[in-house]
Amino acid sequence: MASLELISSAKSFGGHQQRYRHASDVLNCSMNVSVFVPPQAEQDTPLPVVYWLSGLTCTDENFVTKAGAARVAAELGLIVVAPDTSPRGDDVADDESYDLGQGAGFYLNATQAPWHSHYRMYDYIVDELPGLINQTFNCLPKAGLAGHSMGGHGALTLGLSNLQKYTSISAFSPIVNPIDCPWGQKAFNAYLGENEAEWELYDACCLLQQQGQFMQLPILIDQGLDDDFYQSQKLTRPFEHVAKQMNYPAIVNYHPGYDHSYFFIASFIESHLRFHHKYLLEQR
């Protein structure tokens, strides 16, 4: 396995906000990942980890610079890992639109040309990246998984598909039913082709119906009601409906006046980190 190469580090709230580069065998390109390392890392104790998955058009740096998570992560002793949202590079397939190609990996394993040779974000987030993080840092075995928008879709689908790897899932304004919204239909047609049975493997509503009966991970979702995409992309609400039908104890909060931006995330990121911290510590 390749190793993480440190490319920048800045002290923050007693810890360090760091950025790494590594060669990805899964994505067949070089990748960047941002990691907040809390001051407790100086002690010889395994630390809890939260993976943050960002949304369309983002890189690994958007969350770091806009969410304001470092203060609480430092207090709680959380390692926070923020990967990029897709493979990147001159040889990586791309599209002129913002919602397909580089910056829009959708946290799935593409099966269609020209995407299939690089776009395997599912395997990257679930297996390859945690292997590198655990190799580099002293981590507890299971992680928390969080995300926003497309990244909220990723957090829900990856978490529900890998119940033994995660302690908890949270999302801001997630795409929850991509087989029935414009963003998801465009991406799934391109990356997965026309076989809609494959689409269901990456749809949080379908996965909740299939996996929620076997094991229930704690789930927290926050949704702004002034979000421009709340209605047009059918965010959050379909998932809540399925959870209620199944008596699945997901926590879903709606917030008047909040939109889809990082101002919304920054307003509630503390509650998400404390939510994950509670369940992460149960491993000790």
Side-chain angles (χ1 to χ4, degrees), residues 201-265:
L201 299 175
Y202 303 103
D203 185 287
C205 289
C206 296
L207 288 169
L208 186 66
Q209 291 174 319
Q210 297 163 7
Q211 307 292 2
Q213 58 187 310
F214 299 112
M215 179 179 175
Q216 294 188 341
L217 288 184
I219 295 176
L220 169 65
I221 298 175
D222 280 289
Q223 174 68 56
L225 291 178
D226 279 24
D227 187 325
D228 289 342
F229 306 109
Y230 174 48
Q231 300 292 343
S232 63
Q233 301 294 340
K234 302 181 181 179
L235 306 180
T236 301
R237 189 72 75 179
F239 187 87
E240 183 188 26
H241 288 164
V242 174
K244 287 182 175 178
Q245 290 170 0
M246 298 182 62
N247 292 318
Y248 194 106
I251 301 169
V252 182
N253 303 313
Y254 294 93
H255 304 276
Y258 286 93
D259 60 15
H260 200 72
S261 73
Y262 265 89
F263 295 111
F264 174 48
I265 296 170

Side-chain angles (χ1 to χ4, degrees), residues 131-190:
L132 288 165
I133 295 298
N134 292 337
Q135 174 183 289
T136 306
F137 303 100
N138 189 6
C139 305
L140 291 171
K142 292 184 179 182
L145 192 55
H148 170 234
S149 194
M150 179 186 72
H153 144 78
L156 289 166
T157 56
L158 271 61
L160 289 168
S161 299
N162 298 274
L163 297 170
Q164 302 299 328
K165 289 179 177 283
Y166 302 104
T167 61
S168 45
I169 304 167
S170 76
F172 290 85
S173 312
I175 304 169
V176 295
N177 197 199
I179 65 175
D180 191 32
C181 79
W183 277 338
Q185 290 168 343
K186 178 178 180 177
F188 284 12
N189 267 301

Side-chain angles (χ1 to χ4, degrees), residues 14-263:
H16 290 85
Q17 183 61 61
Q18 300 180 329
R19 197 178 194 213
Y20 292 88
R21 179 187 298 117
H22 72 93
S24 170
D25 293 332
V26 168
L27 302 178
N28 194 26
C29 65
S30 177
M31 291 292 286
N32 294 330
V33 56
S34 292
V35 183
F36 178 75
V37 184
Q40 293 86 342
E42 297 178 0
Q43 305 168 9
D44 188 23
T45 303
L47 294 180
V49 182
V50 172
Y51 287 85
W52 171 269
L53 308 183
S54 292
L56 290 168
T57 75
C58 290
T59 70
D60 60 296
E61 294 188 291
N62 292 76
F63 177 78
V64 169
T65 57
K66 296 180 178 181
R71 177 186 61 81
V72 179
E75 175 195 332
L76 299 176
L78 287 175
I79 296 173
V80 181
V81 181
D84 204 345
T85 54
S86 77
R88 295 185 192 268
D90 293 340
D91 297 328
V92 177
D94 200 6
D95 190 87
E96 292 182 355
S97 58
Y98 76 95
D99 52 359
L100 188 67
Q102 294 186 36
F106 269 85
Y107 304 101
L108 50 73
N109 288 339
T111 59
Q112 304 299 302
W115 313 102
H116 63 290
S117 60
H118 293 282
Y119 284 76
R120 301 186 63 82
M121 287 297 292
Y122 182 102
D123 286 349
Y124 175 69
I125 299 297
V126 171
D127 294 316
E128 186 178 36
L129 182 59
L132 288 165
I133 295 298
N134 292 337
Q135 174 183 289
T136 306
F137 303 100
N138 189 6
C139 305
L140 291 171
K142 292 184 179 182
L145 192 55
H148 170 234
S149 194
M150 179 186 72
H153 144 78
L156 289 166
T157 56
L158 271 61
L160 289 168
S161 299
N162 298 274
L163 297 170
Q164 302 299 328
K165 289 179 177 283
Y166 302 104
T167 61
S168 45
I169 304 167
S170 76
F172 290 85
S173 312
I175 304 169
V176 295
N177 197 199
I179 65 175
D180 191 32
C181 79
W183 277 338
Q185 290 168 343
K186 178 178 180 177
F188 284 12
N189 267 301
Y191 296 142
L192 302 173
E194 297 180 356
N195 183 1
E196 294 192 10
E198 290 190 44
W199 295 16
E200 293 182 2
L201 299 175
Y202 303 103
D203 185 287
C205 289
C206 296
L207 288 169
L208 186 66
Q209 291 174 319
Q210 297 163 7
Q211 307 292 2
Q213 58 187 310
F214 299 112
M215 179 179 175
Q216 294 188 341
L217 288 184
I219 295 176
L220 169 65
I221 298 175
D222 280 289
Q223 174 68 56
L225 291 178
D226 279 24
D227 187 325
D228 289 342
F229 306 109
Y230 174 48
Q231 300 292 343
S232 63
Q233 301 294 340
K234 302 181 181 179
L235 306 180
T236 301
R237 189 72 75 179
F239 187 87
E240 183 188 26
H241 288 164
V242 174
K244 287 182 175 178
Q245 290 170 0
M246 298 182 62
N247 292 318
Y248 194 106
I251 301 169
V252 182
N253 303 313
Y254 294 93
H255 304 276
Y258 286 93
D259 60 15
H260 200 72
S261 73
Y262 265 89
F263 295 111

